[in-house]
Amino acid sequence: MNGLFVTGTDTGVGKTVVTAALTLALRARGVDAGVVKPVQSGALADDPEGDAALLKRWTGVPESVDEIAPYCFAAPLAPLIAAELEGCAVSLADAAAAVEAVAARHEAVLVEGAGGLLVPAGPGWTIGDLAAELGLPLLVVARAGLGTVNHTALTVLAARQLGLRVAGVVLNGAADDRSRENARMIEELAGVQVLGCTPALEGELTRERLLLLAEEHLDVHAISHETEVSRA
């Protein structure tokens, strides 16, 4: 399986925006990239403002929202708790199989996690365990502001303890030049590359705006190399 696992230092840091932008950038380079968010809470798959529907609308991949997000739960809680409220439980094997089914149709797949690496996703397993099961390199999306150095370094540390290879970090929502200092400190402290600092976006997001975001603010060449199917 080729691709990336996109995680965050927390919920609401911009994983969906970055995942969609990178998917568009890869497809623009001739890479047939798919996208999956195997476990989603806080919105059902067909909720137009939920991550699955946004990924479908922004990337235009052929999969349905139910294939993009096969396990969805309404409550805005950790997936394990949200599933329990609905009398359900998701196994690690089933979540991994859902990703593999989409990956089999594409050259590469971008997998968006839920929250951070240690979010409980099912009985006895976390989002980090799913990333380890899939064996994909990890891209960490973090906030650009105050506190991000600590949160990012902790996420990288947890990833390495899980045996994950961290491909790099993206600082999302940068409002000023201070993000450059945060990027420098993250690289020094965590020993990982910062592969982009994306600005805060306002207004309606379209495919065109997201592709431009990737091309102007992310090191798409370095990130696409991590998928192992980069094209000249």
Side-chain angles (χ1 to χ4, degrees):
M1 185 190 309
N2 298 316
L4 290 168
F5 195 103
V6 182
T7 192
T9 54
D10 195 0
T11 189
V13 297
K15 294 187 302 297
T16 305
V17 167
V18 171
T19 299
L22 285 175
T23 302
L24 290 168
L26 287 172
R27 293 173 76 86
R29 285 162 171 72
V31 176
D32 178 13
V35 61
V36 192
K37 187 179 177 83
V39 182
Q40 174 175 297
S41 58
L44 299 181
D46 59 358
D47 183 335
E49 298 307 313
D51 291 346
L54 291 174
L55 287 170
K56 170 68 176 177
R57 184 161 73 245
W58 287 340
T59 65
V61 293
E63 281 75 26
S64 68
V65 289
D66 292 312
E67 291 172 308
I68 292 171
Y71 297 103
C72 293
F73 307 100
L77 301 168
L80 171 63
I81 306 303
E84 288 178 345
L85 290 176
E86 298 183 22
C88 301
V90 181
S91 73
L92 176 58
D94 285 345
V99 174
E100 291 163 358
V102 174
R105 306 176 197 141
H106 299 277
E107 291 180 276
V109 63
L110 274 71
V111 183
E112 182 189 338
L117 282 179
L118 299 186
V119 167
W125 65 278
T126 67
I127 293 297
D129 293 319
L130 176 59
E133 179 72 16
L134 296 172
L136 295 172
L138 193 75
L139 185 68
V140 178
V141 180
R143 292 187 178 88
L146 184 66
T148 196
V149 175
N150 176 66
H151 295 160
T152 304
L154 286 172
T155 297
V156 171
L157 177 62
R160 289 173 174 157
Q161 288 178 338
L162 287 165
L164 298 170
R165 181 168 67 85
V166 182
V169 172
V170 171
L171 296 179
N172 183 55
D176 51 46
D177 289 341
R178 284 179 292 181
S179 61
R180 296 178 182 175
E181 288 303 306
N182 286 336
R184 178 180 62 82
M185 287 187 286
I186 287 168
E187 290 185 336
E188 292 177 359
L189 182 62
V192 65
Q193 282 190 298
V194 175
L195 299 174
C197 294
T198 54
L201 296 178
E202 297 181 356
E204 181 183 1
L205 296 185
T206 63
R207 293 181 193 176
E208 292 75 19
R209 289 189 72 192
L210 289 169
L211 178 57
L212 188 63
L213 178 77
E215 298 294 355
E216 292 189 347
H217 298 284
L218 299 177
D219 188 343
V220 177
H221 176 75
I223 296 171
S224 65
H225 180 72
E226 294 291 342
T227 70
E228 300 181 3
V229 291
S230 56
R231 303 272 180 96

